[in-house]
Every structure is written in C-alpha cells, then in structure tokens.
Amino acid sequence: MAAAAGRVSFGGDCYLYGLLALGHLDVIVEADLKLWDWAALVPVIEGAGGKITDWSGQALRPDGDGRVLAVGDPGLLDAAIARLAG
C-alpha cells in the first residue's frame, strides 16, 4: 500500500480521520486498533460519505482482528482492498 501512496504518515491518530472526513486524505490503513480506537470514527467517516471497514471490506466488529481500512470516497474501497490483499 505504501508504494502506491503519494504520501505515507505514521501516527496522527484521530486527527487523520478528521482529515479524511474533510477530503484532505484518501485512504487510512491501520493494523492493530481496538474497539475503543475505531467505534466513534464510524459515524464520522460514514457521515462524511466515506467507508470504514476491515481489510476485506466487511463491517468492523468488536471481536475483529484490529485491521481497519477507511476511505473518503467509497469508490476507492475495492482498489484499496485489492492492494492490501497483495
């Protein structure tokens, strides 16, 4: 995924999701989030017209593996999933 990105940032936490919701970022990929890390972000991202899922495009679950994929434009979701799949 990093090779396909124009810019890669590490850290940033919730701030980056705000930038995604505002349209300043396209994709966020996280590998080890807990329920309390992502639960409040779902209505923010989806309310702004984006999608937030696991790496396979499924809805996030409290018992999931911590892998989170968020896109500002739902049209980017399939390409991001494919890129993560390898």
Side-chain angles (χ1 to χ4, degrees), residues 11-13 17 19 28 37 41 44-46 48 50 55 62-63 71 78:
D13 298 323
Y17 288 89
L19 292 177
I28 297 175
D37 294 320
L41 298 172
V44 173
I45 299 304
E46 293 184 351
W55 286 14
D63 64 339
V71 294
D78 289 340

Side-chain angles (χ1 to χ4, degrees), residues 1-28:
M1 181 64 80
R7 177 180 170 193
V8 176
S9 297
F10 294 94
D13 298 323
C14 235
Y15 176 68
L16 296 180
Y17 288 89
L19 292 177
L20 183 95
L22 289 169
H24 296 290
L25 295 177
D26 295 318
V27 178
I28 297 175

Side-chain angles (χ1 to χ4, degrees), residues 57-74:
Q58 301 301 309
L60 294 172
R61 298 183 337 262
D63 64 339
D65 64 4
R67 294 178 179 185
V68 173
L69 171 62
V71 294
D73 175 357

